[in-house]
């Protein structure tokens, strides 16, 4: 029986199915939620229908096999579940009219606008009508697909608190009729800072995953954060904060393969094989930093992480030859970053003269 998907599927083992569902969740969750939000104009319906689609996959795929196009299967199934829910509710007509109203209120974007449903979704989740903590929690749930416990660990707060933030944020979006679209060119500068903060937290969750049963590095999250940041940079090519954040992500992602051993253990910087770092990502990150410095763009709130961190001299072959003072942020770090900041600061003190350890960082290598 393949009524939910497209094409024939071949039977696979339970391990293969579990891996396929996990991979599909990482790759397709945001697409499915974004597609349903675009169609029905309701984040609650979108989230519930997407979750039901994945639950159906858990039940069906072991017997029917993994479909050739898991994303299409999940989207089709989720759409059917959403329609079924609307039909079951007493106010079906009102809900359909409401969804259609939200859909019609979304005006066509400019000809050069980037058509990406996930980008629409993240700007909706990061709308300024929402409190910052609600924007972050909602985006991590709806766009990145993190569970409430994962988000709670990232925020160092209780799960119930995160659940309430997400619920209230979705209710606020519905009550305020927040449009599902990428902001206009005039609105972008004011809206992008909140989006960048969210993207950095998504990247950070992937860089060192908080889940007890997850891989220490979740490439799906870091890749998604980088992909969305690239899209925003395409919308705002002259924005220094966007370029700085993208550079920071790229230079950090460049070390991903060297950060985890074959047995799945994290490898300290002292023991990493620098030859395994991604030279292309390093080059791209340095190019972005050089462009920002050459343009003499005014630094914004995230100046320290986005400008100072990419100054890391990536070419030295050993830790002892690294210019640690150039990597030390001068701003007060966030509580979750304080230990790492203190460690770098301490190493900088030990490897330089007291009068020069906070010298101006040199230009990145050419």
């Amino acid at each position: 029986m393949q009524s939910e998907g497209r094409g024939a599927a071949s039977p696979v083992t339970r391990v293969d199915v579990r891996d396929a569902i996990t991979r599909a969740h990482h790759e397709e969750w945001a697409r499915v939620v974004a597609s349903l939000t675009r169609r029905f104009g309701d984040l609650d319906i979108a989230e519930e229908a997407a979750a039901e689609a994945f639950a159906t996959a858990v039940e069906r795929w072991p017997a029917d096999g993994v479909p050739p196009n898991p994303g299409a299967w999940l989207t089709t199934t989720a759409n059917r579940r959403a329609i079924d829910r609307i039909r079951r509710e007493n106010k079906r007509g009102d809900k359909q009219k409401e969804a259609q109203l939200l859909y019609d209120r979304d005006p066509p974007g400019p000809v050069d606008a980037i058509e990406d449903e996930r980008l629409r979704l993240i700007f909706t989740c990061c709308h300024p009508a929402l409190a910052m903590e609600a924007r972050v929690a909602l985006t991590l749930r709806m766009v990145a697909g993190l569970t409430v416990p994962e988000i709670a660990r990232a925020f160092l707060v209780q799960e119930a608190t995160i659940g309430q933030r997400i619920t209230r944020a979705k209710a606020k979006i519905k009550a305020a009729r927040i449009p599902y679209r990428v902001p206009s060119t005039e609105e972008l500068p004011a809206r992008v800072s909140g989006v960048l903060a969210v993207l950095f937290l998504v990247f950070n969750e992937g860089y060192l995953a908080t889940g007890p049963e997850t891989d220490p590095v979740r490439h799906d999250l870091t890749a998604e954060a980088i992909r969305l940041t690239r899209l925003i940079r395409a919308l705002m090519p002259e924005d220094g904060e966007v370029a700085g954040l993208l550079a920071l992500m790229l230079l950090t992602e460049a070390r991903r393969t060297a950060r985890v051993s074959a047995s799945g253990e994290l490898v300290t910087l002292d023991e990493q094989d620098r030859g395994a770092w991604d030279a292309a990502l390093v080059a791209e990150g340095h190019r972005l930093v050089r462009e920002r410095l050459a343009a003499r763009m005014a630094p914004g709130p995230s100046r320290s992480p986005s400008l100072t961190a990419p100054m890391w001299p990536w070419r030295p072959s050993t830790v002892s030859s690294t210019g640690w003072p150039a990597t030390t942020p001068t701003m007060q770090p966030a509580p979750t970053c304080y230990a790492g900041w203190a460690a770098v600061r301490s190493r900088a003190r030990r490897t330089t003269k007291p009068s020069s350890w906070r010298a101006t960082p040199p230009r990145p290598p050419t």
Side-chain angles (χ1 to χ4, degrees), residues 25-157:
H25 184 270
H26 289 168
E27 296 175 356
E28 304 295 342
W29 170 267
R31 288 191 181 96
V32 174
V33 172
S35 175
L36 295 175
T37 304
R38 170 70 170 173
R39 178 175 181 182
F40 299 104
D42 190 302
L43 286 174
D44 270 326
I45 291 177
E47 181 184 9
E48 181 178 310
E52 289 182 1
F54 279 96
T56 303
V58 172
E59 297 174 357
R60 296 274 298 276
W61 290 7
D64 297 345
V66 179
N69 190 335
W73 190 100
L74 290 164
T75 301
T76 299
T77 303
N79 271 283
R80 292 175 179 175
R81 296 296 183 269
I83 292 172
D84 289 343
R85 171 179 167 173
I86 292 174
R87 287 173 175 170
R88 287 195 304 265
E89 298 190 6
N90 294 331
K91 297 182 179 180
R92 173 191 172 192
D94 291 341
K95 284 186 172 291
Q96 288 180 327
K97 290 178 182 178
E98 181 182 81
Q100 188 63 40
L101 176 62
L102 290 176
Y103 183 91
D104 291 341
R105 288 180 63 204
D106 186 6
V111 293
D112 60 344
I114 297 176
E115 292 298 332
D116 187 284
E117 294 298 334
R118 285 173 291 183
L119 194 59
R120 290 172 178 263
L121 181 61
I122 193 171
F123 270 107
T124 300
C125 293
C126 296
H127 196 276
L130 305 175
M132 176 56 74
E133 63 269 17
R135 301 179 210 173
V136 175
L138 186 63
T139 303
L140 288 173
R141 175 64 189 134
M142 304 302 293
V143 180
L146 271 65
T147 64
V148 169
E150 287 174 330
I151 301 171
R153 283 192 293 270
F155 277 111
L156 306 179
V157 298

Side-chain angles (χ1 to χ4, degrees), residues 28-365:
E28 304 295 342
W29 170 267
R31 288 191 181 96
V32 174
V33 172
S35 175
L36 295 175
T37 304
R38 170 70 170 173
R39 178 175 181 182
F40 299 104
D42 190 302
L43 286 174
D44 270 326
I45 291 177
E47 181 184 9
E48 181 178 310
E52 289 182 1
F54 279 96
T56 303
V58 172
E59 297 174 357
R60 296 274 298 276
W61 290 7
D64 297 345
V66 179
N69 190 335
W73 190 100
L74 290 164
T75 301
T76 299
T77 303
N79 271 283
R80 292 175 179 175
R81 296 296 183 269
I83 292 172
D84 289 343
R85 171 179 167 173
I86 292 174
R87 287 173 175 170
R88 287 195 304 265
E89 298 190 6
N90 294 331
K91 297 182 179 180
R92 173 191 172 192
D94 291 341
K95 284 186 172 291
Q96 288 180 327
K97 290 178 182 178
E98 181 182 81
Q100 188 63 40
L101 176 62
L102 290 176
Y103 183 91
D104 291 341
R105 288 180 63 204
D106 186 6
V111 293
D112 60 344
I114 297 176
E115 292 298 332
D116 187 284
E117 294 298 334
R118 285 173 291 183
L119 194 59
R120 290 172 178 263
L121 181 61
I122 193 171
F123 270 107
T124 300
C125 293
C126 296
H127 196 276
L130 305 175
M132 176 56 74
E133 63 269 17
R135 301 179 210 173
V136 175
L138 186 63
T139 303
L140 288 173
R141 175 64 189 134
M142 304 302 293
V143 180
L146 271 65
T147 64
V148 169
E150 287 174 330
I151 301 171
R153 283 192 293 270
F155 277 111
L156 306 179
V157 298
Q158 295 182 352
E159 294 180 18
T161 301
I162 295 298
Q164 291 173 358
R165 288 179 186 176
I166 294 173
T167 299
R168 291 170 182 169
K170 289 189 292 187
K172 176 70 173 181
I173 289 173
K174 184 176 181 180
R177 294 186 177 274
I178 292 175
Y180 181 59
R181 62 180 175 85
V182 175
S184 65
T185 302
E186 294 76 15
E187 296 175 311
L188 273 175
R191 293 280 305 276
V192 74
S193 295
V195 172
L196 294 184
V198 170
L199 291 179
F200 183 72
L201 284 175
V202 174
F203 180 88
N204 195 55
E205 170 63 22
Y207 176 75
L208 186 60
T210 58
E213 298 180 359
T214 62
D215 294 332
V217 177
R218 289 185 59 178
H219 176 57
D220 58 303
L221 292 183
T222 58
E224 181 69 7
I226 290 173
R227 192 192 72 83
L228 289 173
T229 306
R230 287 187 190 278
L231 289 174
I232 296 176
R233 175 163 166 76
L235 282 171
M236 305 182 66
E238 302 302 323
D239 190 281
E241 283 298 306
V242 177
L245 179 59
L246 180 57
L248 174 59
M249 290 180 176
L250 293 173
L251 292 175
T252 304
E253 180 73 359
R255 295 192 295 114
R256 177 173 56 85
T257 56
R259 290 184 60 236
V260 182
S261 67
S263 60
E265 299 293 328
L266 288 174
V267 180
T268 63
L269 182 63
D270 305 61
E271 300 176 348
Q272 286 180 18
D273 176 11
R274 296 194 172 196
W277 292 354
D278 191 316
L281 292 181
V282 171
E284 184 181 359
H286 279 157
R287 177 180 58 78
L288 289 169
V289 174
R290 286 195 295 270
E291 289 176 358
R292 185 180 182 189
L293 293 176
R296 296 183 178 181
M297 296 179 180
S302 61
R303 173 184 181 277
S304 181
S306 63
L307 182 58
T308 307
M311 295 299 184
W312 183 289
W314 294 82
R315 287 188 174 179
S317 58
T318 63
V319 169
S320 60
S321 59
T322 296
W324 290 101
T327 71
T328 309
T330 57
M331 67 181 291
Q332 182 68 22
T336 54
C337 303
Y338 194 89
W341 174 83
V344 173
R345 183 183 175 98
S346 175
R347 189 181 288 270
R349 285 183 180 275
R350 296 198 306 269
T351 57
T352 59
K353 295 180 180 180
S355 61
S356 62
W357 78 277
R358 292 183 66 180
T360 302
R363 291 186 61 186

